[in-house]
Amino acid sequence: MTKISMPITKKRIQNHFTYAWWIYALLLALAIFGWNLIGTVTRYQSPPEKKVEWFFGGYQLDNGEAAEKLMEQLHQDLLPEMEEVKYQFIITDDAYGPMQLTTWSFAGEGDLYTLSKTNYDNLAQNGAMMNLQPYVDSGVLKLDGIDLTGCYVTEPDSGEKWLCGIPVKALPGLSRYNLGGEDCYMSILINGGNDENTVKLLAWLVENCKE
């Protein structure tokens, strides 16, 4: 039997890497992706009851810098027991915005939402937003003098009228943080997982941004 010998030579190695370099590039990319995925999955994440997230879908004038500083300050002064108090600007287009918001609401992503009238109506009318009336009745939310026309929706299961939002135009003081939204509403996700502290944040914004 003739033994076939294919010794490893410098030329063979050069040819191998000339034609098979993409295999190594692919393996490297997969390794990096796998490492990042493991890091994401295993990284500690604050539980819902230990974080408050403000998803803002109005307009911002400074890439959210002033709003982020505000949230840092409120983390220290208003919500010190929280692990995270975050501001996140969101962009929702007409094509995929409603689907994206519905996905977030089902997943319990975010706590306090600022949304356009259309997106607010879509979520609130489908029972995704909290009824704020009990907090108004208890005095936690002081909405005296605010026109709440257009803020009420019919809860689909009970048929009751729920107050699910507050108009941003009633809070002109948000402009101090370079935020606004003439046709936007502030509301709280019903399954955000941190109702008490989210209401506390909303009450602070109402009290301090009415003027």
Side-chain angles (χ1 to χ4, degrees), residues 24-42:
Y24 296 94
L26 177 61
L27 290 173
L28 178 61
L30 289 174
I32 294 174
F33 174 77
W35 182 261
N36 288 337
L37 181 62
I38 291 172
T40 300
V41 172
T42 60

Side-chain angles (χ1 to χ4, degrees), residues 10-126:
K10 182 177 180 180
K11 186 176 181 180
R12 288 182 185 277
I13 294 174
Q14 288 176 337
N15 287 338
H16 174 76
F17 282 106
T18 297
Y19 296 104
W21 63 267
W22 62 272
I23 297 176
Y24 296 94
L26 177 61
L27 290 173
L28 178 61
L30 289 174
I32 294 174
F33 174 77
W35 182 261
N36 288 337
L37 181 62
I38 291 172
T40 300
V41 172
T42 60
R43 185 181 65 232
Y44 173 78
Q45 296 184 358
S46 300
E49 67 274 11
K50 283 294 183 180
K51 65 181 178 181
V52 178
E53 295 178 293
W54 183 8
F55 281 14
F56 190 85
Y59 66 78
Q60 60 181 17
L61 302 178
D62 63 349
N63 295 319
E65 294 175 6
E68 289 174 1
K69 289 180 180 178
L70 169 65
M71 296 296 273
E72 290 174 5
Q73 191 62 47
L74 293 180
H75 190 183
Q76 296 177 27
D77 299 341
L78 183 69
L79 302 166
E81 69 280 8
M82 294 294 99
E83 293 179 359
E84 295 182 63
V85 179
K86 297 169 56 179
Y87 164 86
Q88 181 174 329
F89 183 67
I90 58 174
I91 299 176
T92 54
D93 59 30
D94 293 336
Y96 300 104
M99 183 185 302
Q100 185 180 40
L101 290 169
T102 299
T103 300
W104 284 342
S105 67
F106 275 122
E109 294 289 335
D111 299 286
L112 179 64
Y113 276 70
T114 302
L115 300 171
S116 68
K117 173 64 172 172
T118 299
N119 287 326
Y120 163 74
D121 283 343
N122 286 339
L123 287 182
Q125 289 172 3
N126 283 289

Side-chain angles (χ1 to χ4, degrees), residues 48 53 101-102 104-113 115 120 123-132 134-135 153 155-158 160 162-164 186-196 198-199:
E53 295 178 293
L101 290 169
T102 299
W104 284 342
S105 67
F106 275 122
E109 294 289 335
D111 299 286
L112 179 64
Y113 276 70
L115 300 171
Y120 163 74
L123 287 182
Q125 289 172 3
N126 283 289
M129 292 305 177
M130 180 191 298
N131 184 10
L132 302 177
Y135 298 99
V153 299
E155 202 280 325
D157 293 329
S158 66
E160 299 175 350
W162 280 18
L163 172 64
C164 290
M186 306 275 279
S187 53
I188 296 176
L189 194 66
I190 200 167
N191 64 335
N194 199 347
D195 298 350
E196 180 181 352
T198 307
V199 170

